[in-house]
Amino acid sequence: MHRLTSIVIILIFTVIASCNKKPNNDNTLFSNLPSDKTNIYFQNTVKNTPDFNIFSYRNFYNGGGVAIGDLNNDGLQDIYFTSNMGENKLYINEGNLKFKDITQTAGVADSNKWSTGVALVDINSDGWLDIYVCNAGYRSQGNTKNTLYINNHDLTFTEKLKNTASMKMGTQLMLLFLILIWMVILMCIF
């Protein structure tokens, strides 16, 4: 009993002592940059309605996705965000963590879909990253087809799965696509 009391006292003392330590700001790895500095204005907002909510769609609060990669081969990492109830966004890095929203001119908004994830991959082996967006959602919502945007090398993209029946699976998540990509990579290596 005495041993247990000693262990509890040591644990309590350790917790109290660790709460009093001031953080060392010299070793900060990340800092929060405001939107007016980065020009990134994205928010994935979901709104409950009587017909569409957590009770009618179990993945209602799963969220969207984000992918980072160099889409224009300039050596800077660009960002693509997916949204559940809004417009997906593509931000091109202009350097010094300043970004430009080129969603409309690039043609990659996918605003009428419930996007759950995104992968940047050079699917056609041309040296330029393409965008694969996984879409899901409540079936009565309509369009749950995934989207593959092929990079045109000029900051525009062409949708290639527009009339393809094989990508109308509906409620899948990114896992299936990632498994397929890894299978292709492994087949190329071996």
Side-chain angles (χ1 to χ4, degrees):
M1 184 70 168
H2 178 62
R3 185 174 182 185
L4 179 62
T5 305
S6 298
I7 291 173
V8 169
I9 291 173
I10 290 172
L11 285 174
I12 291 172
F13 177 74
T14 303
V15 169
I16 291 171
S18 65
C19 291
N20 292 329
K21 289 185 179 179
K22 293 184 179 181
N24 184 355
N25 291 334
D26 297 335
N27 294 329
T28 302
L29 295 177
F30 300 101
S31 59
N32 187 13
L33 297 175
S35 294
D36 62 343
K37 299 274 189 213
T38 62
N39 294 325
I40 295 177
Y41 298 94
F42 177 82
Q43 189 171 20
N44 184 28
T45 304
V46 292
K47 294 183 181 175
N48 284 305
T49 66
D51 296 328
F52 191 48
N53 52 57
I54 190 68
F55 298 110
S56 61
Y57 179 51
R58 69 173 183 228
N59 297 325
F60 192 78
Y61 290 113
N62 278 9
V66 62
I68 299 174
D70 186 5
L71 289 165
N72 56 351
N73 288 346
D74 64 354
L76 301 172
Q77 300 302 303
D78 309 310
I79 305 174
Y80 187 88
F81 294 100
T82 64
S83 177
N84 298 137
M85 295 182 125
E87 184 176 87
N88 297 339
K89 294 285 188 180
L90 174 57
Y91 291 93
I92 294 297
N93 191 339
E94 296 181 317
N96 296 321
L97 295 176
K98 287 270 193 190
F99 294 84
K100 181 179 179 182
D101 181 355
I102 65 161
T103 307
Q104 295 305 317
T105 58
V108 295
D110 253 359
S111 58
N112 63 340
K113 298 178 181 176
W114 185 279
S115 298
T116 58
V118 59
L120 300 181
V121 61
D122 183 10
I123 200 82
N124 56 359
S125 299
D126 64 354
W128 294 75
L129 289 177
D130 306 302
I131 303 171
Y132 182 84
V133 180
C134 185
N135 299 301
Y138 192 59
R139 292 229 183 246
S140 67
Q141 186 184 20
N143 194 355
T144 59
K145 176 180 74 132
N146 293 342
T147 311
L148 174 63
Y149 293 110
I150 299 296
N151 195 328
N152 295 327
H153 313 166
D154 61 358
L155 295 179
T156 65
F157 295 81
T158 303
E159 185 179 347
K160 288 295 186 183
L161 297 179
K162 216 172 224 173
N163 298 316
T164 306
S166 64
M167 290 300 169
K168 293 184 180 181
M169 293 182 273
T171 58
Q172 77 288 350
L173 297 176
M174 288 298 298
L175 182 61
L176 178 62
F177 178 71
L178 295 175
I179 290 170
L180 292 173
I181 290 298
W182 278 108
M183 287 174 55
V184 169
I185 290 170
L186 290 175
M187 285 189 296
C188 291
I189 292 173
F190 299 107

